[in-house]
């Protein structure tokens, strides 16, 4: 009897252990199925919200239990201009967090303005605009020299019955001599270069491998082709951007008007062959870069001689912060060169490759250098952010933030003239230091 009870107890303990083990196994299997269901739900949401309205054929092609042969290749080919969606579908919920997914899909196109930045980042002071005391002094001297020369040449103004008019060619005089010269040996370190030239957004990181003064200065950014065929393309990812006194619906106003004026200066004053695309890509601002990409690619395919691509924007600043300076006695908007580095603080973004990143950075650097040396104070520091902004289409790609929403049309047009001059200095190689370097390399 005693032995029967002992074996009965052993059997009961074994049954309990087996039951617990089986229950744990079923629980883990259930969690795995639940996880797969969550991943499936995530994909379903992406497909329902994005692929169904925009890419229904691709959704049905890849929607079964078993993907067709070549599914990965077709997905990458068809979704190349939707990098965030491609990243999400390939990596699932584990490969991309909600915030990463939102950034990849929307952040590049949502806004390169600075509305989301902290107040200290919005406050572009002397350091941010590279307005050191010696540069301010050089700017004042240059303005005084220009005004003094004009007064000596023109003599006393004549009395007129009506409104006084100034010949157009006297409104702006290209500065032929540098007001400031860099001491490049003082900018040999990465830290000194960043401080002098760049503002780095918190979304990205630059690094010494990307930014070295000698490499940025020495890269040849001259336009090689003749003006017999198109050389420069100007377009506007955000064509609806306007200024404080812009006329709604008027293409000769706002950023479109600024683009046409810049194009006309490059054509008529400097002899370049320029195409100005006035297409509207920002009906849905968040997808403006996706929307503009196929059109710009088509223009470049039809005009393979185009070497330089300029995406002209205007920035957005706090209402009490105006980007304006006095240049040769005229109120002139300040502008900024903008680069996407195709990398976040976590590393490179594989879906946003740019084979011309080094060229893009060299071009903005040479533009910034020329601005600071010929027109100190007109260019704010080069802004570096994480994404690509369609700057992968040509080695000579620029994204320019021309003034802000509270600048006037007059201030913007006044800024286009030194901007056109600096573009010519770099694209022609007529900038003395660049010309000397180029001749030594030939």
């Amino acid at each position: 009897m005693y032995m029967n009870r002992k074996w009965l107890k052993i059997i009961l303990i074994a049954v309990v252990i087996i039951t617990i083990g089986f229950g744990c196994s079923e629980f883990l299997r259930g969690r795995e199925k639940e996880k797969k269901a969550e991943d499936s739900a995530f994909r379903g949401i992406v497909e329902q919200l994005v692929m169904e309205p925009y890419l229904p054929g691709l959704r049905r092609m890849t929607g079964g239990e078993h993907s067709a042969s070549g599914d990965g290749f077709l997905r990458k080919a068809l979704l190349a201009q939707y990098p965030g969606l491609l990243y999400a579908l390939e990596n699932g919920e584990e490969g991309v967090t909600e915030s990463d997914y939102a950034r990849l899909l929307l952040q590049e196109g949502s806004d390169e303005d600075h509305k989301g930045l902290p107040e200290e980042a919005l406050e572009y002071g002397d350091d941010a605009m590279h307005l050191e005391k010696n540069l301010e002094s050089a700017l004042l001297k240059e303005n005084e020299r220009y005004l003094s020369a004009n007064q000596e040449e023109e003599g006393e103004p004549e009395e007129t019955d009506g409104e006084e008019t100034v010949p157009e060619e006297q409104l702006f005089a290209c500065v032929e001599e540098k007001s400031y010269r860099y001491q490049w040996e003082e900018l040999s370190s990465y830290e000194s270069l960043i401080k002098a030239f760049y503002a780095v957004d918190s979304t990205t990181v630059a690094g010494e491998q990307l930014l070295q003064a000698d490499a940025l200065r020495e890269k040849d950014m001259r336009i090689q082709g003749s003006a017999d065929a198109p050389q420069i393309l100007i377009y506007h990812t955000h064509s609806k951007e306007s200024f404080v006194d812009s006329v709604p619906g008027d293409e000769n106003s706002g950023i479109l008007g600024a683009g046409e004026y810049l194009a006309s200066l490059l054509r008529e004053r400097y002899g370049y062959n320029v195409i100005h695309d006035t297409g509207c890509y920002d009906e849905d601002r968040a997808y403006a870069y996706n929307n503009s990409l196929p059109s710009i690619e088509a223009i470049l395919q039809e005009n393979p001689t185009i070497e330089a691509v300029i995406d002209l924007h205007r920035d957005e600043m706090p209402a009490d912060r105006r980007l304006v300076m006095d240049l040769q006695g005229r109120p002139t908007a300040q502008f900024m060169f903008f680069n996407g580095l195709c990398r976040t603080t976590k590393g490179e973004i594989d879906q946003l490759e740019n084979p011309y990143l080094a060229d893009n950075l060299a071009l903005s650097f040479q533009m910034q250098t020329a601005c600071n040396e010929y027109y100190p104070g007109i260019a704010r520091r080069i802004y570096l952010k994480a994404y690509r902004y369609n700057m992968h289409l040509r080695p000579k790609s620029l994204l320019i933030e021309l003034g802000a929403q509270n600048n006037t049309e007059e201030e913007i047009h006044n800024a286009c003239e030194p901007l056109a001059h600096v573009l010519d200095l770099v694209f022609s190689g007529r900038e003395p230091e660049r010309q000397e370097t180029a001749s030594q390399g030939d």
Side-chain angles (χ1 to χ4, degrees), residues 163-388:
E163 183 178 348
E164 184 178 355
T165 59
V166 180
E168 183 178 353
E169 60 271 15
Q170 294 182 17
L171 289 177
F172 173 77
C174 295
V175 177
E176 300 298 335
E177 296 180 4
K178 294 181 179 181
S179 301
Y180 175 80
R181 287 184 178 273
Y182 281 100
Q183 302 300 316
W184 292 110
E185 62 274 10
E186 298 176 2
L187 295 169
S188 58
S189 73
Y190 172 73
E191 292 75 16
S192 61
L193 195 69
I194 285 288
K195 183 177 180 181
F197 282 91
Y198 294 98
V200 184
D201 190 84
S202 61
T203 61
T204 192
V205 60
E208 192 169 354
Q209 73 277 15
L210 284 180
L211 304 177
Q212 297 180 9
D214 288 344
L216 294 168
R217 292 169 58 213
E218 292 169 4
K219 192 172 283 288
D220 191 351
M221 289 288 110
R222 290 175 296 177
I223 284 181
Q224 304 298 324
S226 72
D228 295 336
Q231 300 165 295
I232 299 172
L233 169 65
I234 298 174
Y235 77 103
H236 313 273
T237 299
H238 296 147
S239 63
K240 293 181 175 295
E241 290 176 330
S242 60
F243 304 101
V244 68
D245 56 349
S246 295
V247 179
D250 184 358
E251 282 200 358
N252 295 316
S253 186
I255 198 64
L256 288 177
E260 183 55 36
Y261 186 55
L262 179 61
S264 69
L265 290 169
L266 291 170
R267 294 185 193 113
E268 298 164 15
R269 191 171 294 182
Y270 300 103
Y272 293 98
N273 192 324
V274 183
I275 293 177
H276 180 212
D277 173 48
T278 59
C280 178
Y281 307 112
D282 55 342
E283 291 290 350
D284 184 348
R285 188 179 174 95
Y287 290 94
Y289 286 96
N290 283 338
N291 295 338
S292 65
L293 182 57
S295 296
I296 303 310
E297 287 178 323
I299 293 173
L300 295 177
Q301 187 172 5
E302 293 168 7
N303 302 275
T305 58
I306 291 176
E307 298 181 47
V309 177
I310 300 172
D311 188 5
L312 190 63
H313 297 243
R314 66 108 175 101
D315 209 342
E316 183 160 345
M317 299 297 288
D320 60 350
R321 180 73 173 94
R322 296 193 69 243
L323 302 175
V324 65
M325 63 176 289
D326 184 285
L327 180 64
Q328 300 179 359
R330 303 188 307 164
T332 305
Q334 293 162 313
F335 48 80
M336 179 178 73
F337 304 108
F338 185 106
N339 283 102
L341 298 186
C342 303
R343 64 180 66 190
T344 68
T345 53
K346 298 179 182 179
E348 294 183 5
I349 306 172
D350 293 336
Q351 288 76 18
L352 296 179
E353 293 179 337
N354 182 357
Y356 304 127
L357 179 57
D359 300 272
N360 296 167
L361 290 168
L363 179 54
S364 62
F365 183 83
Q366 292 180 24
M367 290 289 296
Q368 184 79 11
T369 300
C371 285
N372 289 345
E373 292 189 328
Y374 285 86
Y375 304 99
I378 199 165
R380 299 149 63 199
R381 288 167 71 188
I382 302 168
Y383 205 87
L384 304 179
K385 205 162 183 179
Y387 304 97
R388 187 172 62 184

Side-chain angles (χ1 to χ4, degrees), residues 6-135:
K6 181 178 179 181
W7 281 108
L8 181 60
K9 185 182 291 186
I10 292 173
I11 292 171
L12 287 174
I13 292 173
V15 169
V16 170
I17 292 173
I18 292 171
T19 302
I20 292 174
F22 181 79
C24 290
S25 176
E26 286 300 305
F27 174 79
L28 292 175
R29 287 181 185 176
R31 286 297 300 155
E32 185 176 352
K33 289 181 180 179
E34 187 176 311
K35 185 68 173 61
K36 289 181 179 178
E38 289 174 356
D39 289 344
S40 177
F42 175 75
R43 287 175 60 97
I45 291 172
V46 171
E47 292 176 353
Q48 183 67 29
L49 294 180
V50 181
M51 294 181 72
E52 181 63 34
Y54 297 109
L55 301 163
L58 180 61
R59 183 188 177 191
R60 283 152 182 72
M61 182 179 68
T62 61
E65 282 279 324
H66 302 284
S67 297
S69 177
D71 167 42
F73 171 80
L74 289 172
R75 177 189 286 124
K76 288 183 178 181
L78 292 171
L79 293 181
Q81 61 175 303
Y82 300 93
L85 177 57
L86 177 62
Y87 187 85
L89 290 176
E90 288 184 343
N91 292 277
E93 194 173 11
E94 285 197 16
V96 55
T97 66
E98 182 178 351
S99 60
D100 288 337
Y101 170 73
R103 284 183 179 182
L104 278 172
L105 186 60
L106 297 176
Q107 187 66 26
E108 180 182 48
S110 64
D111 210 340
E112 82 281 349
D113 301 333
H114 307 130
K115 291 181 288 188
L117 296 181
E119 187 62 30
E120 59 270 20
L122 289 169
E123 194 58 41
Y124 286 91
D126 287 354
D127 181 55
M129 284 186 285
H130 195 201
L131 263 180
E132 300 170 358
K133 292 301 179 183
N134 55 346
L135 291 181

